[in-house]
Amino acid sequence: MKPDEEGNIYCPQGHAFTLEQTKESVKGRYPRTIQFYRNEHCEGCPLRSQCTRSKHGRTLQRTDKLAEMQIKIRENLMTETGQELMKQRSIQAEGIFGQIKQDQEYDRLWRRKETMVKLELLLVLISHDLRK
């Protein structure tokens, strides 16, 4: 849901979300500001079952920088160059995984811990490179 010119966010039925809280998060590499919104006008709305299952109305989290980056990414993907790059990426990635699954008959991970799974995948990829 996109905010209008004044920064208000509306549900599909036209009811405004109210800003409840703004929180600074430093989780991950970059700090970000998360805004928490709530729409309490869901009572009797015909779209409620499609919109939320909450008894207290729909909630929404929004990060301005993330929204800006998503818009920029969509614009880049809509260009002719972006579509060609996505086509090439899907062909290349699927081809390698298909070769590993088909040629090496490798269809499941045998390790459980994250470090062991990474090691197993590394060994499979090295064996693929050596066979090439």
Side-chain angles (χ1 to χ4, degrees):
M1 296 184 192
K2 296 179 186 175
D4 62 5
E5 293 84 28
E6 291 123 25
N8 298 323
I9 300 174
Y10 296 94
C11 75
Q13 199 65 16
H15 300 292
F17 281 82
T18 55
L19 179 64
E20 282 192 335
Q21 176 183 0
T22 301
K23 180 180 167 185
E24 294 289 327
S25 174
V26 290
K27 196 175 190 181
R29 286 187 179 177
Y30 306 104
R32 62 179 181 237
T33 304
I34 304 171
Q35 299 166 331
F36 296 90
Y37 292 89
R38 179 177 298 279
N39 186 345
E40 298 182 3
H41 303 288
C42 295
E43 192 73 31
C45 179
L47 300 176
R48 181 185 176 121
S49 63
Q50 298 170 359
C51 194
T52 185
R53 293 181 298 210
S54 172
K55 295 177 184 175
H56 308 292
R58 182 170 179 185
T59 58
L60 168 55
Q61 294 180 24
R62 187 168 194 296
T63 306
D64 287 333
K65 284 201 175 220
L66 180 61
E68 290 171 12
M69 288 193 319
Q70 288 173 340
I71 290 170
K72 188 175 180 181
I73 289 169
R74 274 191 219 105
E75 289 172 356
N76 288 339
L77 288 176
M78 290 298 160
T79 65
E80 192 173 311
T81 308
Q83 290 177 352
E84 185 63 33
L85 287 173
M86 284 301 294
K87 188 188 299 183
Q88 287 299 318
R89 180 175 183 251
S90 68
I91 291 169
Q92 291 171 359
E94 289 175 11
I96 292 171
F97 286 114
Q99 288 172 9
I100 290 171
K101 287 172 70 176
Q102 180 74 31
D103 298 346
Q104 298 182 27
E105 297 177 4
Y106 185 80
D107 59 354
R108 87 179 281 207
L109 294 167
W110 294 97
R111 309 292 184 265
R112 290 184 184 246
K113 290 187 178 180
E114 183 179 355
T115 55
M116 297 306 290
V117 167
K118 287 180 180 179
L119 179 63
E120 182 180 345
L121 285 173
L122 180 66
L123 291 172
V124 168
L125 294 172
I126 289 171
S127 70
H128 175 75
D129 285 344
L130 289 174
R131 287 182 181 180
K132 273 177 106 174

